[in-house]
């Protein structure tokens, strides 16, 4: 019985240590990406075409100037040549962060 308790304590301690290390790694990674966003803008997009309704749904996330934007857009009634030109799946792009570019792209204005 004592061995089981010792084993359970070791497993519990190992699990807590693994969670602590994982949390610290995620915290550092988030800080690095936040700082990087002041120099570079990252765009990640998932496009999902629906052939049954001739629609295109896109989910996009953008990180720029210390901000993180998420949006969903849906295009209806695309004509066949345009719809066939759009490929589904993930895309990623990076560009230099220009002042005000992210805010203009999402229609955010500051007074």
């Amino acid at each position: 019985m004592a061995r089981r308790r010792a084993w359970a304590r070791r497993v519990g301690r190992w699990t807590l240590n693994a969670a602590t290390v994982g949390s610290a790694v995620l915290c550092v990674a988030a800080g690095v990406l936040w700082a990087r966003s002041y120099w570079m803008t990252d765009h990640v997009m998932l496009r999902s075409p629906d052939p049954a309704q001739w629609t295109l749904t896109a989910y996009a996330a953008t990180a720029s100037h210390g901000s993180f934007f998420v949006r969903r857009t849906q295009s209806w009634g695309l004509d066949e040549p345009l719809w066939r030109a759009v490929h589904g799946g993930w895309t990623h792009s990076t560009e230099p962060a220009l002042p005000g570019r992210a805010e203009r792209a999402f229609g955010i204005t500051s007074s």
Side-chain angles (χ1 to χ4, degrees):
M1 191 69 148
R3 276 190 182 175
R4 281 190 185 166
R5 287 184 193 159
W7 182 80
R9 268 192 227 128
R10 265 186 274 149
V11 169
R13 192 175 312 131
W14 185 87
T15 303
L16 180 61
N17 287 341
T20 302
V21 169
S23 177
V25 168
L26 286 174
C27 181
V28 169
V32 168
L33 291 175
W34 171 75
R36 181 182 183 272
S37 75
Y38 284 95
W39 289 277
M40 299 298 290
T41 297
D42 288 304
H43 305 280
V44 178
M45 182 180 290
L46 172 63
R47 293 183 188 156
S48 177
D50 182 4
Q53 298 179 4
W54 294 90
T55 61
L56 172 69
T57 304
Y59 303 92
T62 300
S64 181
H65 298 286
S67 299
F68 186 73
F69 304 97
V70 179
R71 67 181 175 174
R72 175 184 178 267
T73 57
Q74 193 160 21
S75 302
W76 294 89
L78 299 175
D79 60 347
E80 186 174 353
L82 178 61
W83 190 85
R84 293 201 184 280
V86 175
H87 299 288
W90 290 95
T91 59
H92 173 261
S93 63
T94 301
E95 60 189 30
L98 300 175
R101 173 175 256 174
E103 291 81 5
R104 285 194 308 270
F106 291 98
I108 300 169
T109 58
S110 58
S111 52

